[in-house]
């Protein structure tokens, strides 16, 4: 049997962007490499957990020792997460597109002499909030991410309440930091217990420390 701080636990991780089709050849997406989410899935497996990684389209290999489910859209991602429940911990690091095209074409939209297509947008489900607010089958420990360019801690506190999760891992993605697509990350752990600010670390090291921290998290308590 596996040993480590997460031995015996089932962890669901979401990672990467989602792609929302406009037509069969075009999509709307968020900018996300999936590096942090994939590193967390790998670290959780190395910490002894059974890991289900639900990943949007990324250029990364499926991490070893992890069950990876590849999806395209936000709705597919939510369905895959629900399918993977029950779990002890949910770590939702995906950059989910907030909107999708309501009138996505079944055929490629043709250019039409300067006439522009009208794209009607509709809101996607919030996967983190949906799972965090479930009455039945909510993982006892739900972790969300917040990428902000300013007022990082303040916005993270609001997000914690709004989403109903137990912990927000907040990071500053303002252009100077080079977090987007880069290998390093500066994070703040924001929970009811307060704020923990970590030094700038490799995403792999952020993942290892986060997993270790979650292994000793006092579920339902004050960390
Ligand atoms: O609201 P915002 O997108 O900033 O929240 C970020 C957090 O919420 C991340 O953990 C992200 O994975 C999650 N999220 C989600 N579904 C959405 C939007 C965000 O799970 N539709």
């Amino acid at each position: 049997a596996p040993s480590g701080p997460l031995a015996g636990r089932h962890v669901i991780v979401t990672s990467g962007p989602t792609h929302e089709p406009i037509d069969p050849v075009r999509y709307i997406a968020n900018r996300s490499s999936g590096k942090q989410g994939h590193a967390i899935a790998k670290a959780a497996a190395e910490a002894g957990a059974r890991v289900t990684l639900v990943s949007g389209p990324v250029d990364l290999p499926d991490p070893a020792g992890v069950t990876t489910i590849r999806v395209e859209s936000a709705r597919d991602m939510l369905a895959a997460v629900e399918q993977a429940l029950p779990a002890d911990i949910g770590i939702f690091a995906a950059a989910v597109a907030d909107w999708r095209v309501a009138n996505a074409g079944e055929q490629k939209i043709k250019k039409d002499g300067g006439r522009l297509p009208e794209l009607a947008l509709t809101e996607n489900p919030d996967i983190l909030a949906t799972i965090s607010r479930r009455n039945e089958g909510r993982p006892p420990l739900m972790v969300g991410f917040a990428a902000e360019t300013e007022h990082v801690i303040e916005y993270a506190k609001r997000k914690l309440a709004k989403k109903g999760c137990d912990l927000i891992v907040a990071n500053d993605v303002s252009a100077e930091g080079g977090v987007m697509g880069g290998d390093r990350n500066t994070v703040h752990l924001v929970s009811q217990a307060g704020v923990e600010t970590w030094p700038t670390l490799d995403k792999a090291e952020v993942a290892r420390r986060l997993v270790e921290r979650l292994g000793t998290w006092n579920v339902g308590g004050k960390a």
Side-chain angles (χ1 to χ4, degrees), residues 109-117:
I109 302 168
K110 303 301 285 179
K111 272 185 287 188
D112 180 13
R115 268 174 33 124
L116 300 175

Side-chain angles (χ1 to χ4, degrees), residues 14 74 92-98 124-129 143-148 159 162-163 168:
T14 73
F92 289 7
V96 181
D98 290 312
N124 266 331
D126 188 314
I127 301 166
L128 175 61
V143 181
F145 277 69
E148 304 290 353
K159 205 156 282 185
K162 197 173 137 206
K163 308 268 184 174
I168 288 280

